[in-house]
Amino acid sequence: MRISNMFHFTENHRFYIFRDFSLSSMDYKLLNHLYQPMIGAYAISTYMLLFQHIPAEQLGYSKLEQQRKLFLSLQLEPSERGRKWLTEQTSLLEAVGLLQTTQKWMVEDEEQIFEYRLFAPLNPYEFFKNHHLTLLLRDKIGKHAVLALKSELCCEVDASLQHKTCNEVNLSVPFYEVFQLNSNMIDEELEQALSEVGIGEPEQATSINSSDYDVQYADIIMRFPRHAKHRPFVEKLKYKPEQLADLNYIANKYQIGVTQLCRLLDEEGVFDNEGMLLLDGLQQQANLIFSQQNKREQDTVYYLNQKKANDTAKQLDYQDEVAVAKQHCLEVPPSLVGKCSMEQYNMMLRNEPYIKVLQNFFPGTVPEHVYKIFSVLNLNYKCPDEVLNVLIHYLKVNNFSWNRPFIESIVSDMLGKDVTSYETAVDYIRLQTERKRKKDQPSNFRQSKNKHKKPQIAMHTNTAESTAPVSEEEYERGLQKAKMLEKMLKQKDT
């Protein structure tokens, strides 16, 4: 019993006991000779005390009482020492599989109660097949005593029948060959009475253990192969609620059931050598299953919707064409200039299915993968034909790529912005074209800015003319001008 705070387990808390079995003489002998040497006489006496709260000839639930009754019956002090002793004895019973303790919080009454669920001892064959119980008994009483108890409790087959082959025929007679029931009459009173008398589970309150999880340990262990490689690791999940919580998180995240989860736990790379759960490896495997399921569902929806669309097209008459307002008319692409007017072109985009529009834009046969892309967008994504036609115009005019990721990125953006009609689709592609034009504008602006720069000042360079020799007359004239300037500066200073 895991109790972190002893004030949560006192003699004032109430409890009840449940058992759905009765002890036989063989069970008493097993408790005395097998279980008592392992867990001690005090634990067995606690087990018998809990067992006797329900009459031996009855099964089901005991009355709701205070734990003070247990303390007084076991002569325990209602103190921390007595509580600790009782938790130790119940822990021993839980470890060998004779008891399960559950702490429950009753929301309406704001009360905490305890459920003690008793289990019958294992029969000798099951006990000695359980290795950890057999090894624990060996450590307590020795190997020879264990072998003696096994030979005493289990009767072996006659030696004359061992190691001999034989053919078997089942001679047992089934129930309906001996008895005949009147199945034409249904006794409603009897059915109701049996359902009321039957043992029913009480309404479960909010639990603090792993019973809150969608996938419980019992669901996994019942479906997991007994001789699988990871069976010992899966059995340890019973005592690891945090790993069980991780499994439930992955199961809910990737929408996988218990059967698929058991299949994943038997894969390589899910557990390490010490039996710890490797979440990264498990999530990768779960993601693969989720992707495969999603693809199968998409293919199924695609084919069903395609069949439904074909059937609907056969039953419905052609509807009247819808005109296009002038402000939402698109220009005719160069490949169709001369073949149709602007009005005819926009009427085609607005009213024709996308298959016919694709056939007008491709000179030969439309590639199969292009058909596949647009059919998925139309049937699975529920994108209308008129919106797809505007998208085809947008791709053709701008010479964009026709690969699937690029087209799906545009459609997902359109659907995310509620583009579901011809007019909104036209506004969308015009906005995208304007953004692309503005994005390309800064480079043109820099080029035009360079044209209006200030003219560069010519720099003096040592050319061949400047390096020519000066004559004597030019030298004399220059020298006189320099002297005159010097005189004028002196007079000005004085």
Side-chain angles (χ1 to χ4, degrees):
M1 184 186 301
R2 295 188 182 94
I3 298 294
S4 57
N5 189 346
M6 283 300 169
F7 289 105
H8 296 164
F9 180 78
T10 66
E11 66 280 2
N12 297 320
H13 287 94
R14 295 198 294 174
F15 76 100
Y16 66 91
I17 299 167
F18 171 80
R19 64 173 174 85
D20 54 357
F21 64 94
S22 183
L23 293 177
S24 64
S25 57
M26 171 62 76
D27 294 327
Y28 283 110
K29 189 171 183 179
L30 293 174
L31 289 173
N32 293 329
H33 291 80
L34 298 182
Y35 286 91
Q36 183 169 319
M38 294 189 299
I39 60 178
Y42 292 113
I44 295 298
S45 63
T46 305
Y47 178 83
M48 296 304 302
L49 175 63
L50 297 175
F51 178 86
Q52 293 169 1
H53 274 73
I54 302 173
E57 65 277 4
Q58 291 182 355
L59 306 177
Y61 295 88
S62 67
K63 295 180 180 180
L64 200 59
E65 299 177 297
Q66 284 190 342
Q67 291 193 136
R68 189 182 307 276
K69 184 177 180 179
L70 296 179
F71 281 78
L72 294 176
S73 300
L74 295 171
Q75 296 184 356
L76 298 177
E77 299 178 0
S79 60
E80 183 177 358
R81 181 180 176 183
R83 299 165 194 160
K84 186 176 181 182
W85 187 91
L86 184 56
T87 57
E88 290 175 356
Q89 303 309 312
T90 54
S91 298
L92 292 173
L93 294 171
E94 293 163 359
V96 296
L98 295 177
L99 177 66
Q100 176 183 321
T101 308
T102 305
Q103 187 181 30
K104 297 187 176 183
W105 175 256
M106 311 304 291
V107 179
E108 290 80 3
D109 301 331
E110 295 185 356
E111 181 186 9
Q112 183 177 272
I113 63 175
F114 291 89
E115 178 195 71
Y116 296 104
R117 186 175 290 257
L118 299 178
F119 297 95
L122 297 177
N123 64 60
Y125 289 108
E126 294 178 350
F127 183 91
F128 290 108
K129 286 181 181 178
N130 197 311
H131 292 289
H132 61 274
L133 290 180
T134 306
L135 293 177
L136 177 60
L137 183 61
R138 182 203 63 183
D139 294 341
K140 296 293 184 180
I141 64 176
K143 178 174 63 175
H144 298 288
V146 172
L147 296 176
L149 284 173
K150 183 178 180 181
S151 60
E152 179 183 352
L153 295 172
C154 300
C155 298
E156 301 293 338
V157 67
D158 192 275
S160 61
L161 298 177
Q162 291 182 348
H163 309 293
K164 290 185 180 180
T165 58
C166 62
N167 298 324
E168 296 182 356
V169 178
N170 188 359
L171 302 177
S172 303
V173 180
F175 176 85
Y176 283 100
E177 289 187 10
V178 179
F179 303 101
Q180 292 182 357
L181 301 179
N182 187 5
S183 58
N184 296 326
M185 292 183 59
I186 300 177
D187 195 340
E188 296 181 356
E189 294 182 0
L190 177 62
E191 295 291 338
Q192 184 178 359
L194 290 176
S195 62
E196 292 177 356
V197 172
I199 299 175
E201 292 285 341
E203 295 184 0
Q204 296 292 332
T206 304
S207 176
I208 61 173
N209 56 19
S210 61
S211 61
D212 273 348
Y213 306 141
D214 296 333
V215 181
Q216 299 185 15
Y217 169 77
D219 301 328
I220 298 175
I221 202 65
M222 286 175 59
R223 294 169 175 82
F224 202 81
R226 186 176 298 274
H227 302 289
K229 179 181 178 181
H230 292 159
R231 174 78 182 198
F233 300 153
V234 174
E235 290 178 351
K236 293 180 181 178
L237 292 176
K238 181 178 181 181
Y239 307 103
K240 297 178 180 179
E242 65 282 354
Q243 292 193 5
L244 195 60
D246 294 335
L247 288 177
N248 278 270
Y249 170 76
I250 293 174
N252 292 329
K253 178 180 178 180
Y254 295 102
Q255 302 175 6
I256 57 178
V258 182
T259 305
Q260 293 174 327
L261 186 62
C262 294
R263 196 175 303 161
L264 287 179
L265 291 175
D266 202 25
E267 296 288 341
E268 295 292 337
V270 176
F271 291 96
D272 60 9
N273 295 331
E274 297 180 356
M276 295 298 294
L277 197 63
L278 300 176
L279 295 180
D280 293 337
L282 184 61
Q283 289 202 69
Q284 290 177 1
Q285 299 288 344
N287 188 31
L288 290 176
I289 292 180
F290 176 75
S291 301
Q292 293 173 358
Q293 288 179 343
N294 193 25
K295 187 177 184 305
R296 285 196 296 267
E297 291 177 359
Q298 284 186 355
D299 293 341
T300 303
V301 172
Y302 166 72
Y303 287 114
L304 291 176
N305 289 337
Q306 190 177 37
K307 184 178 183 301
K308 184 178 179 180
N310 295 334
D311 296 340
T312 305
K314 293 178 181 178
Q315 296 175 1
L316 296 179
D317 296 329
Y318 289 103
Q319 297 180 355
D320 296 335
E321 292 184 346
V322 180
V324 181
K326 188 174 182 179
Q327 62 269 22
H328 289 104
C329 287
L330 297 173
E331 296 183 358
V332 181
S335 60
L336 297 180
V337 173
K339 297 181 180 180
C340 60
S341 63
M342 181 182 294
E343 183 181 358
Q344 293 174 339
Y345 177 71
N346 284 273
M347 289 290 290
M348 178 186 69
L349 296 182
R350 179 65 180 82
N351 298 282
E352 293 292 338
Y354 69 91
I355 295 178
K356 292 186 178 180
V357 176
L358 283 174
Q359 293 173 353
N360 290 327
F361 277 105
F362 285 86
T365 305
V366 181
E368 184 64 27
H369 78 280
V370 176
Y371 271 138
K372 179 71 174 178
I373 293 171
F374 282 89
S375 62
V376 170
L377 297 177
N378 181 242
L379 298 176
N380 287 31
Y381 291 3
K382 304 298 181 183
C383 192
D385 288 275
E386 57 200 61
V387 176
L388 293 178
N389 293 338
V390 176
L391 174 63
I392 295 170
H393 167 86
Y394 181 58
L395 295 173
K396 189 67 177 179
V397 170
N398 293 277
N399 293 322
F400 286 144
S401 174
W402 290 84
N403 60 6
R404 180 174 179 174
F406 179 72
I407 296 176
E408 286 187 346
S409 64
I410 298 177
V411 174
S412 61
D413 188 42
M414 294 173 71
L415 296 178
K417 295 179 179 178
D418 295 331
V419 178
T420 55
S421 64
Y422 183 83
E423 291 74 18
T424 55
V426 171
D427 294 338
Y428 175 84
I429 66 169
R430 285 176 177 174
L431 180 61
Q432 297 299 320
T433 305
E434 182 66 19
R435 288 179 178 177
K436 186 176 183 299
R437 187 185 64 80
K438 289 182 179 180
K439 185 178 180 181
D440 299 337
Q441 186 177 1
S443 60
N444 300 330
F445 177 74
R446 285 194 295 269
Q447 292 177 2
S448 61
K449 187 177 180 180
N450 292 336
K451 294 179 182 179
H452 298 288
K453 282 185 178 180
K454 293 182 179 179
Q456 295 182 354
I457 300 175
M459 302 296 293
H460 176 73
T461 56
N462 294 326
T463 60
E465 295 179 358
S466 61
T467 57
V470 182
S471 62
E472 293 182 357
E473 295 179 357
E474 291 176 348
Y475 177 77
E476 291 294 336
R477 286 198 297 269
L479 185 62
Q480 290 178 0
K481 288 182 180 180
K483 289 180 179 180
M484 290 176 61
L485 290 172
E486 185 178 1
K487 288 181 180 180
M488 290 174 63
L489 291 174
K490 289 181 178 180
Q491 291 176 0
K492 188 177 179 179
D493 293 338
T494 55

